[in-house]
């Protein structure tokens, strides 16, 4: 519990006067104490005496709580290494929690004598007591009742007997640090005091950061009331209240208090309908069936609430390899004659003996007059492999509502509750695009996005999200349950490699979103090279759909979330998470993209996103080498595939030119991969997308290859709306030759004549105004065109892209400058933040 060697005397010197207090060494260098000892000053002169050793150690204030009487001191030198403390969070509700603390109160000061003088007079005192949970609802302070023998009203020298104990650390049973004693309420008597909650102090990011830097886990563990302490701490059967009390930070969002429940409406899986079915179906249970992350656990808890409200006991059977679980269930069911609902949260992960349940426990409960109901939840993948006959003896299957509309509403509810700052900053559409509509994934991603927005960190779409928080663990566990991860090595020297089935699944994900037939062809190309027994492509894709990893939307197949595709492809690229790419597996997966131009484009987008993710973790370089080598080897075949279709080929080439993994590769292989398509379609209207993406994103040498084509293309399409998409990135380039720049500027004015006030004209005016090579006459025309455009678009968000370069021009006349400044203030009124 408390290590006496870590109990600290804290001495703070203020203008010649010494303030005495208590503290506790919570890590090798951090001392936890009360802020009022320092008078809130981070420049206070401090020393610390540990464990009554008598040696004063120099320390400096590291943090003082704002509005909280808690502080941290940092020892100048760590005298030795000690393990960090474990923080505890008290439960909600009423009742009391025992605590123990050690400090240096005035009443423990010994009378002065020849042998006991100075600091030797101060001695420690263990203080035991109870935290009254129902007190201090407003302040959040811990209300302490001391059960240690109370001191005399005054200490030996007359002060308040408790002076000096401020800063003492308070521990609950199990060694959890729960608070810091700070002050007392004199009117309540000498047996009463108050303390600051350490769990509440964790809300201060700087406090949490300092603890983390010094090895203290910043997730406070839940402290259980004494009456809730189980005889067997590893029970597999717990009540619903105990289950919720034990929820960690993330799982708390499975409760209504943390995240409002979104009902599926008049649907068989609505909690009310499930509960009614359980009440009216004799001994038959309900088996909830749904893909990963679609709300099975939440439905179970909501049904459990309804049962509790109706006076039923609710017992949850937890997953784990506990062979005694069936006996534990029987013991709990028969413990009292009251109706009981058994909720089996993960039937596939439980060692529950269904035959014993069916043929022994339920009949015995019936004989004892104990009503019993069963509610279980499974994933469709496990159900395909299960003994359906045995399950049908016990359960009626109910599929969760999993249509996109409902899943989106649940996800939006999560964003509103968990990411209000990100929602305001990014807008609902962009945040939904990042988080997706799969509820559990949206919840996990939203929390991480909210954290990044609050800290001012960049939000590179989904890049880096698979390395933070609980999302990667959840994703890997769920994929593992469906056999979609790489198994470990069979022996020490042969690296682990994905099966052709897993590679084909990754290929299917990389080919999304598009038609089912196209996705199947990508998987089929991979499976054709397999040497082991593999499923048919149609069956593999159908299985991925039934498992919920692929979804049908508006006639196309899409992946449940981009992160799922990233995880599958990552397993193929770097199956052992090291720097050695799986060359054969990568090549096998890439064979699927040669099925069609659209698939080639989808691969480019999906792999590019994964490469950005890997780059953040310094894992991309060896994979990029393999991808580049494959592109060079197959550049002629790629060119042939792309030229089969003008429109789709343009979009696919645009995706390839937009960045990783193949924008450098396509420049090196331009003759084989791009020229065939340009020769056929380079002057057609369909070339617009390739020109737009290539001029904007290709490396300089590649973009310059497209400039002649773009200028030639503009001649027949000079005034079409599509020409604006080419003019914008073309005018943005600062590496055009003077002759090419002149042709581009002339083309811009030609296009602006019929499009002077269209919203799209803003994306041409911005780069045109940014150019420094405009002749005085062209500059005047561009400035006039800008004011003409700003009149109907004065307060639109897009006007900012025109006002910026307009205000930056140094050739504005005084009159034009005045008009530009007025326009800027007009725009800033609705866009001030």
């Amino acid at each position: 519990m408390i290590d006496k060697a870590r109990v600290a005397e804290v001495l703070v010197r203020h203008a010649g006067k010494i303030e005495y207090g208590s503290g506790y060494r919570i890590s090798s260098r951090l001392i936890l104490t009360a802020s009022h000892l320092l008078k809130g000053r981070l420049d206070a002169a401090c020393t610390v005496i540990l464990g009554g050793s008598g040696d004063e150690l120099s320390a400096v204030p590291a943090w003082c709580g704002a509005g909280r009487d808690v502080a941290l001191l940092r020892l100048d030198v760590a005298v030795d290494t000690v393990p960090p403390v474990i923080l505890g969070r008290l439960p909600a509700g009423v009742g009391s929690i025992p605590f123990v603390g050690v400090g240096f109160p005035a009443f423990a000061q010994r009378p002065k004598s020849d042998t006991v003088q100075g600091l030797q007079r101060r001695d420690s005192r263990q203080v035991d007591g109870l935290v009254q949970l129902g007190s201090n609802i407003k302040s959040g302070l811990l209300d302490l009742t001391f059960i240690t023998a109370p001191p005399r009203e005054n200490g030996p020298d007359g002060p308040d007997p408790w002076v000096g104990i401020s800063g003492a650390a308070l521990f609950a049973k199990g060694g959890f640090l729960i608070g810091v004693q700070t002050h007392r309420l004199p009117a309540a008597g000498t047996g009463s005091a108050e303390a600051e909650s350490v769990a509440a102090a964790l809300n201060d990011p700087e406090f949490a950061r300092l603890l983390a830097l010094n090895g203290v886990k910043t997730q406070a563990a839940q402290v259980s009331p004494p009456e809730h302490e189980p005889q067997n701490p590893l029970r597999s059967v717990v009540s619903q209240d105990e289950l919720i009390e034990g929820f960690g930070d993330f799982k708390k969002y499975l409760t209504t208090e943390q995240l409002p429940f979104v009902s599926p409406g008049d649907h068989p899986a609505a909690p009310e309908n499930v509960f009614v079915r359980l009440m009216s179906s004799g001994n038959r249970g309900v088996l909830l069936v749904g893909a990963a992350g679609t709300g099975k656990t939440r439905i179970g808890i909501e049904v459990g609430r309804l049962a509790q409200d109706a006076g039923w006991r609710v017992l949850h059977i937890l997953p784990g390899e506990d062979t005694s679980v069936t006996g534990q269930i029987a013991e709990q069911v028969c413990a009292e004659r009251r109706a009981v609902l058994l909720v089996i949260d993960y039937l596939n992960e439980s060692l529950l003996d269904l035959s014993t349940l069916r043929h022994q426990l339920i009949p015995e409960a019936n004989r004892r007059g104990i009503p019993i109901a069963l509610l279980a939840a499974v994933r469709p993948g496990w159900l395909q492999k299960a003994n359906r006959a045995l399950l049908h003896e016990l359960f009626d299957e109910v599929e969760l509502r999993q249509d996109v509309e409902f899943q989106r509403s649940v996800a939006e509810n999560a964003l509103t509750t968990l990411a209000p700052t990100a929602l305001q900053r990014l807008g609902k559409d962009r945040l939904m695009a990042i988080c997706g509509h799969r509820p559990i994934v949206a919840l996990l991603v939203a929390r991480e996005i909210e954290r990044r927005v609050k800290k001012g960190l960049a939000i590179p779409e989904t890049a880096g999200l698979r390395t933070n928080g609980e999302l990667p663990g959840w994703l890997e566990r769920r994929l593992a349950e469906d056999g979609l991860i790489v198994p470990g090595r069979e022996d020490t020297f042969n690296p682990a490699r994905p099966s052709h089935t897993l590679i084909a699944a990754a290929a299917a994900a990389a080919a999304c979103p598009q038609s089912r037939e196209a996705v199947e062809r990508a998987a089929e190309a991979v499976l054709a090279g397999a040497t082991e027994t593999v499923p048919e492509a149609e069956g593999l894709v159908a299985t991925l759909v039934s498992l919920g990893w692929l979804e049908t939307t508006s006639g196309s197949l899409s992946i449940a979330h981009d992160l799922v595709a990233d995880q599958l492809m990552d397993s193929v690229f770097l199956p052992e998470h090291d720097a050695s790419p799986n060359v054969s597996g990568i090549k096998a997966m890439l064979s699927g993209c040669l099925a069609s131009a659209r698939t080639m484009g989808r691969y480019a987008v999906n792999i590019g996103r994964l490469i950005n993710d890997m780059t953040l973790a310094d894992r991309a370089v060896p994979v990029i080498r393999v991808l580049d080598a494959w592109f060079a080897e197959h550049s002629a075949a790629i060119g042939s595939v792309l030229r089969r279709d003008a429109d789709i080929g343009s979009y696919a080439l645009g995706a390839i030119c937009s960045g990783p993994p193949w924008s450098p590769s396509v420049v090196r292989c331009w003759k084989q991969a791009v020229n065939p398509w340009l020769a056929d379609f380079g002057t057609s209207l369909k070339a617009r997308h390739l020109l737009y993406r290539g001029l904007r994103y290709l490396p300089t040498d590649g973009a310059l290859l497209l400039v002649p084509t773009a200028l030639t293309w503009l001649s027949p399409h000079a005034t079409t709306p599509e020409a604006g998409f080419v003019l914008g990135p073309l005018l943005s380039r600062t590496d055009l030759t003077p002759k090419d720049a002149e042709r581009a500027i002339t083309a811009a004015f030609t296009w602006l004549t019929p499009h002077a006030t269209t919203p799209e004209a803003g994306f041409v005016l911005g780069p045109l105004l940014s150019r420094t090579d405009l002749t005085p006459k062209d500059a005047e025309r561009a400035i006039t065109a800008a004011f003409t455009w700003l009149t109907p678009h004065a307060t639109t968000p897009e006007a900012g892209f025109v006002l910026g370069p307009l205000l930056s021009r140094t050739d504005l006349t005084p009159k034009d400058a005045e008009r530009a400044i007025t326009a800027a203030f007009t725009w800033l009124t609705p866009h001030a933040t």
Side-chain angles (χ1 to χ4, degrees), residues 315-585:
L315 301 177
H316 286 256
I317 290 79
L318 305 180
E321 297 185 6
D322 186 350
T323 55
S324 68
V325 61
T326 309
Q328 290 185 44
I329 294 172
E331 181 180 341
Q332 295 252 24
V333 167
C334 298
E336 55 181 289
R337 291 187 61 180
R338 189 154 62 96
V340 59
L341 169 65
L342 298 180
V343 183
I344 309 166
D345 298 294
Y346 295 93
L347 182 59
N348 53 300
E349 294 183 28
S350 170
L351 293 184
L352 185 64
D353 186 338
L354 293 179
S355 293
T356 299
L357 199 65
R358 168 74 177 85
H359 299 291
Q360 296 182 36
L361 177 59
I362 292 177
E364 181 61 27
N366 291 336
R367 279 192 292 271
R368 293 175 180 239
I370 302 173
I372 186 170
L374 303 176
L375 176 63
V378 295
R379 305 257 307 283
W382 180 84
L383 197 57
Q384 292 171 348
K385 299 178 286 186
N387 183 339
R388 298 291 280 266
L390 179 58
L391 288 174
H392 287 159
E393 286 185 5
L394 277 170
F395 298 105
D396 295 325
E397 293 180 16
V398 172
E399 289 196 10
L400 267 64
R401 183 178 172 187
Q402 298 176 93
D403 58 276
V404 173
E405 180 184 358
F406 174 65
Q407 299 286 320
R408 184 177 295 278
S409 68
V410 176
E412 287 183 1
N413 172 60
L415 304 192
T416 303
T417 305
L418 305 182
T421 309
L423 193 62
Q424 183 180 22
R425 190 78 51 84
L426 304 177
K428 186 175 78 171
D429 290 343
R430 185 183 173 200
L431 191 58
M432 281 295 293
I434 297 172
C435 296
H437 63 265
R438 180 66 63 87
I440 194 71
V441 179
L443 194 156
L444 289 162
V445 174
R447 290 206 316 159
E448 173 61 15
I449 296 297
E450 179 77 353
R451 182 190 73 82
R452 292 189 181 196
V453 168
K454 284 185 173 180
K455 289 184 174 289
L457 302 175
I459 312 295
E461 300 308 322
T462 58
L465 294 178
R466 292 184 304 121
T467 59
N468 290 286
E470 301 196 38
L471 177 61
W474 180 89
L475 195 56
E476 288 201 26
R477 286 195 302 274
R478 301 290 83 86
L479 288 168
E481 290 170 6
D482 293 331
L484 292 171
I485 64 166
V486 181
R489 292 190 176 195
E490 294 184 0
D491 60 61
T492 304
F493 298 103
N494 288 309
R497 287 293 179 256
S499 66
H500 264 80
T501 303
L502 175 53
I503 297 172
C512 288
Q514 58 176 322
S515 70
R516 188 171 189 139
E517 292 74 19
V519 173
E520 289 172 351
R521 283 199 298 273
E524 186 176 24
V526 174
L527 296 171
T531 55
E532 72 267 27
T533 302
V534 293
E536 296 291 331
E538 294 84 351
L540 181 138
V541 171
T543 299
L544 291 173
V545 172
S546 71
L547 296 174
W549 298 119
L550 295 184
E551 300 174 337
T552 303
T553 308
S554 302
S556 294
L557 275 187
S558 60
I559 197 74
H561 193 280
D562 288 343
L563 295 170
V564 176
D566 295 350
Q567 192 71 34
L568 291 172
M569 292 187 296
D570 197 335
S571 297
V572 174
F573 289 4
L574 294 172
E576 295 193 313
H577 301 285
D578 57 12
S580 301
N582 173 21
V583 178
S584 61

Side-chain angles (χ1 to χ4, degrees), residues 142-443:
L142 306 184
D143 180 23
L144 310 180
T145 298
F146 297 130
I147 58 177
T148 302
R152 290 168 20 195
E153 275 302 316
N154 297 311
D157 295 331
D160 182 321
W162 288 109
V163 166
I165 201 170
S166 292
L170 308 178
F171 287 82
K173 184 178 179 181
F176 299 111
L177 174 61
I178 58 172
V180 180
Q181 202 281 327
T182 54
H183 62 284
R184 69 183 189 87
L185 299 175
T190 57
S192 178
E194 292 186 322
E196 290 278 2
S197 164
V198 174
L202 288 171
N203 293 327
D204 188 313
E206 182 61 18
F207 179 70
R209 188 185 73 86
L210 284 169
L211 294 189
L213 284 173
N214 285 271
V216 180
K217 291 283 287 184
T218 57
Q219 289 77 34
Q222 186 70 49
V223 176
S224 298
E227 63 271 19
H228 285 188
E229 291 293 337
Q231 295 296 317
N232 174 10
L234 297 180
R235 294 173 303 156
S236 294
V237 184
V238 299
S239 71
Q240 178 148 312
D241 289 339
E242 290 176 297
L243 177 80
I244 292 173
E245 282 179 7
F247 279 165
D249 180 39
F250 166 67
K251 279 203 167 183
K252 282 184 170 57
Y253 295 114
L254 293 171
T255 65
T256 301
E257 292 76 14
Q258 294 293 324
L259 185 64
F261 176 68
V262 178
S263 173
D266 186 16
H267 187 275
E272 297 83 0
N273 293 335
V274 173
F275 184 61
V276 168
R277 189 165 186 164
L278 288 170
M279 295 302 101
S280 55
S281 60
N283 290 324
R284 292 192 63 75
V286 169
L287 186 65
L288 298 174
V289 182
T294 53
K296 297 184 296 297
T297 302
R298 182 65 187 266
I299 294 286
I301 289 173
E302 295 302 320
V303 174
R305 286 184 186 278
L306 294 173
Q308 286 179 315
D309 292 342
W312 283 55
R313 289 181 291 156
V314 180
L315 301 177
H316 286 256
I317 290 79
L318 305 180
E321 297 185 6
D322 186 350
T323 55
S324 68
V325 61
T326 309
Q328 290 185 44
I329 294 172
E331 181 180 341
Q332 295 252 24
V333 167
C334 298
E336 55 181 289
R337 291 187 61 180
R338 189 154 62 96
V340 59
L341 169 65
L342 298 180
V343 183
I344 309 166
D345 298 294
Y346 295 93
L347 182 59
N348 53 300
E349 294 183 28
S350 170
L351 293 184
L352 185 64
D353 186 338
L354 293 179
S355 293
T356 299
L357 199 65
R358 168 74 177 85
H359 299 291
Q360 296 182 36
L361 177 59
I362 292 177
E364 181 61 27
N366 291 336
R367 279 192 292 271
R368 293 175 180 239
I370 302 173
I372 186 170
L374 303 176
L375 176 63
V378 295
R379 305 257 307 283
W382 180 84
L383 197 57
Q384 292 171 348
K385 299 178 286 186
N387 183 339
R388 298 291 280 266
L390 179 58
L391 288 174
H392 287 159
E393 286 185 5
L394 277 170
F395 298 105
D396 295 325
E397 293 180 16
V398 172
E399 289 196 10
L400 267 64
R401 183 178 172 187
Q402 298 176 93
D403 58 276
V404 173
E405 180 184 358
F406 174 65
Q407 299 286 320
R408 184 177 295 278
S409 68
V410 176
E412 287 183 1
N413 172 60
L415 304 192
T416 303
T417 305
L418 305 182
T421 309
L423 193 62
Q424 183 180 22
R425 190 78 51 84
L426 304 177
K428 186 175 78 171
D429 290 343
R430 185 183 173 200
L431 191 58
M432 281 295 293
I434 297 172
C435 296
H437 63 265
R438 180 66 63 87
I440 194 71
V441 179
L443 194 156

Side-chain angles (χ1 to χ4, degrees), residues 66-136:
R68 296 191 182 279
D69 197 359
V70 185
L72 291 173
L73 307 179
R74 183 188 291 109
L75 294 174
D76 288 346
V77 177
V79 291
D80 56 9
T81 300
V82 298
V85 297
I86 301 174
L87 308 182
R89 183 184 301 276
L90 295 177
V94 296
S96 59
I97 296 288
F99 75 84
V100 61
V102 176
F104 297 88
F107 74 81
Q109 183 168 296
R110 302 181 183 282
K112 185 177 181 179
S113 67
D114 292 338
T115 57
V116 181
Q117 299 185 28
L119 293 178
Q120 293 299 318
R121 296 176 61 194
R122 295 170 57 81
D123 212 339
S124 65
R125 181 75 177 210
Q126 176 179 321
V127 182
D128 297 273
L130 300 171
V131 181
Q132 307 299 335
L133 299 177
S135 300
N136 295 342

Side-chain angles (χ1 to χ4, degrees), residues 728-751:
L730 182 62
L731 291 166
S732 296
R733 301 208 64 86
T734 59
D735 47 16
L736 299 179
T737 66
K739 184 177 179 180
D740 288 345
E742 182 181 358
R743 291 178 65 188
I745 293 166
T746 300
F749 286 120
T750 300
W751 184 84

